[in-house]
Amino acid sequence: MFNTSIKSKLFNAVILTSAVTVSAATYAVEFNEAYSAYQAAVTDKNNADIERYAIQSYELGKEKFGADSINTGNLALNAANALIANMPKNNFDKEVKQKVKLLQPQAFELYQETLKIYRERYGDDGIELIDPLLGLSDASSQKYAREYLDDALDIAEDSENAMVIADTKMAYFERLVNSRYYTRKVRNYAFDAHEIYSELLPEDAMKRVLNSFRVANVRFAEKDYDESEALFLGVIKQFQKLDYNHPYELAAHAKLVQIYELEGESDKSTQHCIAIGSMKPWQDDIEPTPLFRKNPDFPISYAKAGKSGSVQLSFTIDKMGFVKNAVVLDTVGGAKFAKESLLALKQWRYAPKFVDGKAVEAKELKVQLDYYIDKR
């Protein structure tokens, strides 16, 4: 049997049955070569080759197994998943938009083909239909994605399989969380999944940890800092067991810095500033980005007068990520701008600079704060 899964939505493997009569022997050798190359690309995590050979395997497999074969459906799903995985996320660039415009319809057709074959094989309520339905949501506009997500969730709930329900609700949340269609109901799907994962999965299960990170971010956005703190600390605890620095571990540390600074507990944020500094080395040619930034107040008298201005400052970041020795280098617009800038800058927090594994001071850093009134 062939293990063909590359993009896990709900199921970790899509299987090609070996009990197949080869109807197009002339394609057998070429298919086997393409499919072997596809498997090697999956092992190597080479996304470009995964896409290339997944599409080749599908095209050759369709001739070998027949258009209505379950194997063809599985290969179509693999090819569609590969296209979606390689689809650019930033749609602002003209060339990127063109690539998405080309790939998205191709993936959509492949998911539709899979869904048709799966329906014939598994019926209208088979949980196997969830994967292509979720794929169709990925290959559709957000407006129409909800229809496929609703269909997938209906099947999951009818299955009464808790893990399938949790995975489908989490996929629903991930698809719409950053869209105009993000609602309280969509938000709650992530929380429903969190309850199920917490009950059925061990603490270090990656699926559970990633879900905790997402829920923690929602709690943070809702200013439920106590709950988000506990979740972020749990995420860090699990990621610290890995032998590499996971980006979500860095993000969790950064969020905790913000939480503690907002709550006036700078001593608690220090360990997380240091953790980030030790995990993510400074680049000397790039200005460091504050983990917590207090925006300066706009002087009321200047605002009433319609004044604009700017302040350039020099400062030091100490070994614990605090701003020290802040000095005004230049001011445009009035002395009150300088005063407010100094007050704000002293409350910023950074990851300290590390040299040879030790935190050191970073001196003579510069920043400019601009003040203007939007007169639109």
Side-chain angles (χ1 to χ4, degrees), residues 167-194:
D167 288 345
T168 307
K169 285 189 171 183
M170 201 59 209
Y172 203 126
F173 170 85
E174 294 285 2
R175 181 67 177 90
L176 299 181
V177 62
N178 294 316
S179 77
R180 58 182 290 196
Y181 302 104
Y182 179 67
T183 63
R184 187 75 176 179
K185 180 179 77 171
V186 175
R187 173 259 194 203
N188 288 342
Y189 287 156
F191 286 73
D192 294 343
H194 183 70

CSV table of all heavy atoms in Angstrom, one decimal, residues 167-194:
chain,number,residue,atom,x,y,z
A,167,ASP,N,-10.8,18.4,15.6
A,167,ASP,CA,-10.0,18.7,14.5
A,167,ASP,C,-10.7,19.6,13.5
A,167,ASP,O,-10.2,20.5,12.9
A,167,ASP,CB,-9.4,17.5,13.8
A,167,ASP,CG,-8.4,16.7,14.7
A,167,ASP,OD1,-7.9,17.4,15.6
A,167,ASP,OD2,-8.1,15.6,14.4
A,168,THR,N,-12.0,19.2,13.2
A,168,THR,CA,-12.8,20.0,12.2
A,168,THR,C,-13.1,21.4,12.8
A,168,THR,O,-13.0,22.3,12.0
A,168,THR,CB,-14.1,19.2,11.9
A,168,THR,OG1,-13.8,17.9,11.5
A,168,THR,CG2,-14.8,19.9,10.8
A,169,LYS,N,-13.4,21.5,14.0
A,169,LYS,CA,-13.7,22.8,14.6
A,169,LYS,C,-12.5,23.7,14.6
A,169,LYS,O,-12.5,24.9,14.3
A,169,LYS,CB,-14.3,22.7,16.0
A,169,LYS,CG,-15.7,22.2,16.1
A,169,LYS,CD,-16.3,22.2,17.5
A,169,LYS,CE,-17.8,22.0,17.5
A,169,LYS,NZ,-18.4,22.1,18.8
A,170,MET,N,-11.3,23.1,14.8
A,170,MET,CA,-10.1,23.8,14.8
A,170,MET,C,-9.8,24.3,13.4
A,170,MET,O,-9.3,25.4,13.2
A,170,MET,CB,-8.9,23.0,15.4
A,170,MET,CG,-7.8,23.8,15.9
A,170,MET,SD,-8.2,25.0,17.2
A,170,MET,CE,-7.0,26.3,16.9
A,171,ALA,N,-10.0,23.4,12.4
A,171,ALA,CA,-9.8,23.8,11.0
A,171,ALA,C,-10.7,24.9,10.6
A,171,ALA,O,-10.3,25.9,9.9
A,171,ALA,CB,-10.0,22.6,10.1
A,172,TYR,N,-12.0,24.9,11.1
A,172,TYR,CA,-13.0,25.9,10.9
A,172,TYR,C,-12.4,27.3,11.4
A,172,TYR,O,-12.5,28.3,10.7
A,172,TYR,CB,-14.3,25.6,11.5
A,172,TYR,CG,-15.5,26.2,11.0
A,172,TYR,CD1,-16.6,25.4,10.6
A,172,TYR,CD2,-15.7,27.6,10.9
A,172,TYR,CE1,-17.8,26.0,10.1
A,172,TYR,CE2,-16.8,28.1,10.4
A,172,TYR,CZ,-17.9,27.3,10.0
A,172,TYR,OH,-19.0,27.9,9.6
A,173,PHE,N,-12.0,27.2,12.6
A,173,PHE,CA,-11.4,28.4,13.3
A,173,PHE,C,-10.2,29.0,12.5
A,173,PHE,O,-10.2,30.2,12.2
A,173,PHE,CB,-11.0,28.1,14.7
A,173,PHE,CG,-10.2,29.2,15.4
A,173,PHE,CD1,-10.8,30.2,16.1
A,173,PHE,CD2,-8.8,29.1,15.4
A,173,PHE,CE1,-10.1,31.2,16.7
A,173,PHE,CE2,-8.1,30.1,16.1
A,173,PHE,CZ,-8.7,31.1,16.7
A,174,GLU,N,-9.3,28.1,12.2
A,174,GLU,CA,-8.1,28.6,11.5
A,174,GLU,C,-8.4,29.2,10.1
A,174,GLU,O,-7.7,30.2,9.7
A,174,GLU,CB,-7.1,27.4,11.2
A,174,GLU,CG,-6.5,26.8,12.5
A,174,GLU,CD,-5.5,27.7,13.2
A,174,GLU,OE1,-5.2,28.8,12.6
A,174,GLU,OE2,-4.9,27.3,14.2
A,175,ARG,N,-9.4,28.7,9.4
A,175,ARG,CA,-9.7,29.2,8.1
A,175,ARG,C,-10.3,30.6,8.2
A,175,ARG,O,-10.1,31.5,7.3
A,175,ARG,CB,-10.8,28.3,7.4
A,175,ARG,CG,-11.2,28.8,6.0
A,175,ARG,CD,-10.0,28.7,5.1
A,175,ARG,NE,-10.4,29.0,3.7
A,175,ARG,CZ,-10.3,30.3,3.2
A,175,ARG,NH1,-9.9,31.3,4.0
A,175,ARG,NH2,-10.6,30.5,2.0
A,176,LEU,N,-11.1,31.0,9.3
A,176,LEU,CA,-11.8,32.2,9.3
A,176,LEU,C,-11.3,33.2,10.4
A,176,LEU,O,-11.8,34.3,10.5
A,176,LEU,CB,-13.3,32.0,9.5
A,176,LEU,CG,-14.0,31.1,8.4
A,176,LEU,CD1,-15.5,31.0,8.7
A,176,LEU,CD2,-13.8,31.8,7.1
A,177,VAL,N,-10.3,32.8,11.2
A,177,VAL,CA,-9.9,33.7,12.3
A,177,VAL,C,-9.5,35.1,11.9
A,177,VAL,O,-9.7,36.0,12.6
A,177,VAL,CB,-8.8,33.0,13.2
A,177,VAL,CG1,-7.6,32.8,12.3
A,177,VAL,CG2,-8.5,33.8,14.4
A,178,ASN,N,-8.9,35.2,10.8
A,178,ASN,CA,-8.4,36.5,10.3
A,178,ASN,C,-9.2,37.1,9.2
A,178,ASN,O,-8.7,37.9,8.4
A,178,ASN,CB,-6.9,36.4,9.9
A,178,ASN,CG,-6.0,36.0,11.0
A,178,ASN,OD1,-6.1,36.6,12.1
A,178,ASN,ND2,-5.1,35.1,10.8
A,179,SER,N,-10.5,36.7,9.1
A,179,SER,CA,-11.3,37.2,8.1
A,179,SER,C,-12.5,38.0,8.6
A,179,SER,O,-12.7,38.0,9.9
A,179,SER,CB,-11.9,36.0,7.3
A,179,SER,OG,-13.0,35.3,8.0
A,180,ARG,N,-13.2,38.6,7.8
A,180,ARG,CA,-14.4,39.4,8.2
A,180,ARG,C,-15.5,38.5,8.7
A,180,ARG,O,-16.5,39.0,9.2
A,180,ARG,CB,-14.9,40.2,7.0
A,180,ARG,CG,-15.3,39.4,5.8
A,180,ARG,CD,-15.7,40.2,4.6
A,180,ARG,NE,-17.0,40.8,4.8
A,180,ARG,CZ,-17.8,41.4,3.9
A,180,ARG,NH1,-17.3,41.4,2.6
A,180,ARG,NH2,-18.9,41.9,4.2
A,181,TYR,N,-15.4,37.2,8.5
A,181,TYR,CA,-16.4,36.2,8.9
A,181,TYR,C,-16.1,35.6,10.2
A,181,TYR,O,-16.8,34.6,10.6
A,181,TYR,CB,-16.6,35.1,7.8
A,181,TYR,CG,-17.0,35.7,6.5
A,181,TYR,CD1,-16.1,35.8,5.4
A,181,TYR,CD2,-18.3,36.2,6.2
A,181,TYR,CE1,-16.4,36.4,4.2
A,181,TYR,CE2,-18.6,36.8,5.0
A,181,TYR,CZ,-17.7,36.9,4.0
A,181,TYR,OH,-18.0,37.5,2.8
A,182,TYR,N,-15.1,36.1,10.9
A,182,TYR,CA,-14.8,35.6,12.2
A,182,TYR,C,-15.8,36.1,13.2
A,182,TYR,O,-16.0,37.3,13.4
A,182,TYR,CB,-13.4,36.1,12.7
A,182,TYR,CG,-13.0,35.7,14.0
A,182,TYR,CD1,-12.7,34.3,14.3
A,182,TYR,CD2,-12.8,36.6,15.1
A,182,TYR,CE1,-12.3,33.9,15.6
A,182,TYR,CE2,-12.4,36.2,16.3
A,182,TYR,CZ,-12.2,34.9,16.6
A,182,TYR,OH,-11.8,34.5,17.8
A,183,THR,N,-16.5,35.2,13.8
A,183,THR,CA,-17.6,35.5,14.8
A,183,THR,C,-17.4,34.8,16.1
A,183,THR,O,-16.4,34.1,16.3
A,183,THR,CB,-19.0,35.0,14.2
A,183,THR,OG1,-18.9,33.5,14.1
A,183,THR,CG2,-19.2,35.6,12.8
A,184,ARG,N,-18.3,35.1,17.0
A,184,ARG,CA,-18.2,34.5,18.3
A,184,ARG,C,-18.3,33.0,18.2
A,184,ARG,O,-17.6,32.2,18.9
A,184,ARG,CB,-19.3,35.0,19.2
A,184,ARG,CG,-19.2,34.5,20.7
A,184,ARG,CD,-18.1,35.3,21.4
A,184,ARG,NE,-18.1,34.9,22.8
A,184,ARG,CZ,-17.2,35.4,23.7
A,184,ARG,NH1,-16.3,36.3,23.2
A,184,ARG,NH2,-17.2,35.1,24.9
A,185,LYS,N,-19.1,32.5,17.3
A,185,LYS,CA,-19.3,31.1,17.1
A,185,LYS,C,-18.0,30.4,16.6
A,185,LYS,O,-17.6,29.4,17.1
A,185,LYS,CB,-20.4,30.8,16.0
A,185,LYS,CG,-20.7,29.3,15.7
A,185,LYS,CD,-21.8,29.1,14.7
A,185,LYS,CE,-21.3,29.4,13.3
A,185,LYS,NZ,-22.3,29.0,12.3
A,186,VAL,N,-17.3,31.1,15.6
A,186,VAL,CA,-16.1,30.6,15.1
A,186,VAL,C,-15.0,30.6,16.2
A,186,VAL,O,-14.3,29.6,16.4
A,186,VAL,CB,-15.6,31.4,13.9
A,186,VAL,CG1,-14.2,31.0,13.5
A,186,VAL,CG2,-16.6,31.4,12.8
A,187,ARG,N,-15.0,31.7,17.0
A,187,ARG,CA,-14.1,31.8,18.2
A,187,ARG,C,-14.3,30.6,19.1
A,187,ARG,O,-13.4,29.9,19.6
A,187,ARG,CB,-14.3,33.1,18.9
A,187,ARG,CG,-13.6,33.3,20.2
A,187,ARG,CD,-14.5,33.1,21.4
A,187,ARG,NE,-13.9,33.5,22.6
A,187,ARG,CZ,-14.3,33.1,23.8
A,187,ARG,NH1,-15.2,32.1,23.9
A,187,ARG,NH2,-13.8,33.6,24.9
A,188,ASN,N,-15.6,30.2,19.4
A,188,ASN,CA,-15.9,29.2,20.3
A,188,ASN,C,-15.4,27.8,19.8
A,188,ASN,O,-15.2,26.9,20.6
A,188,ASN,CB,-17.4,29.2,20.7
A,188,ASN,CG,-17.8,30.3,21.5
A,188,ASN,OD1,-16.9,31.0,22.2
A,188,ASN,ND2,-19.0,30.7,21.5
A,189,TYR,N,-15.3,27.6,18.5
A,189,TYR,CA,-14.9,26.3,18.0
A,189,TYR,C,-13.5,26.0,18.5
A,189,TYR,O,-13.2,24.9,18.8
A,189,TYR,CB,-14.9,26.3,16.5
A,189,TYR,CG,-16.3,26.3,15.9
A,189,TYR,CD1,-16.5,26.7,14.6
A,189,TYR,CD2,-17.3,25.7,16.6
A,189,TYR,CE1,-17.8,26.7,14.0
A,189,TYR,CE2,-18.6,25.7,16.0
A,189,TYR,CZ,-18.8,26.2,14.8
A,189,TYR,OH,-20.1,26.1,14.2
A,190,ALA,N,-12.6,27.0,18.6
A,190,ALA,CA,-11.2,26.8,19.1
A,190,ALA,C,-11.3,26.4,20.5
A,190,ALA,O,-10.5,25.5,21.0
A,190,ALA,CB,-10.4,28.0,18.9
A,191,PHE,N,-12.2,27.0,21.3
A,191,PHE,CA,-12.3,26.7,22.7
A,191,PHE,C,-12.9,25.3,22.9
A,191,PHE,O,-12.5,24.5,23.8
A,191,PHE,CB,-13.2,27.7,23.4
A,191,PHE,CG,-12.4,29.0,23.6
A,191,PHE,CD1,-12.2,29.9,22.6
A,191,PHE,CD2,-12.0,29.4,24.9
A,191,PHE,CE1,-11.5,31.0,22.7
A,191,PHE,CE2,-11.3,30.6,25.1
A,191,PHE,CZ,-11.0,31.4,24.0
A,192,ASP,N,-13.9,24.9,22.0
A,192,ASP,CA,-14.4,23.5,22.1
A,192,ASP,C,-13.3,22.5,21.8
A,192,ASP,O,-13.2,21.5,22.5
A,192,ASP,CB,-15.5,23.4,21.0
A,192,ASP,CG,-16.8,24.2,21.3
A,192,ASP,OD1,-16.9,24.7,22.5
A,192,ASP,OD2,-17.5,24.4,20.4
A,193,ALA,N,-12.5,22.8,20.8
A,193,ALA,CA,-11.4,21.9,20.5
A,193,ALA,C,-10.4,21.8,21.7
A,193,ALA,O,-9.9,20.7,22.0
A,193,ALA,CB,-10.7,22.4,19.2
A,194,HIS,N,-10.2,22.9,22.3
A,194,HIS,CA,-9.3,22.9,23.5
A,194,HIS,C,-9.8,22.0,24.6
A,194,HIS,O,-9.0,21.3,25.2
A,194,HIS,CB,-9.2,24.4,24.0
A,194,HIS,CG,-8.2,24.5,25.1
A,194,HIS,ND1,-6.8,24.4,25.0
A,194,HIS,CD2,-8.4,24.8,26.5
A,194,HIS,CE1,-6.2,24.6,26.1
A,194,HIS,NE2,-7.2,24.8,27.1
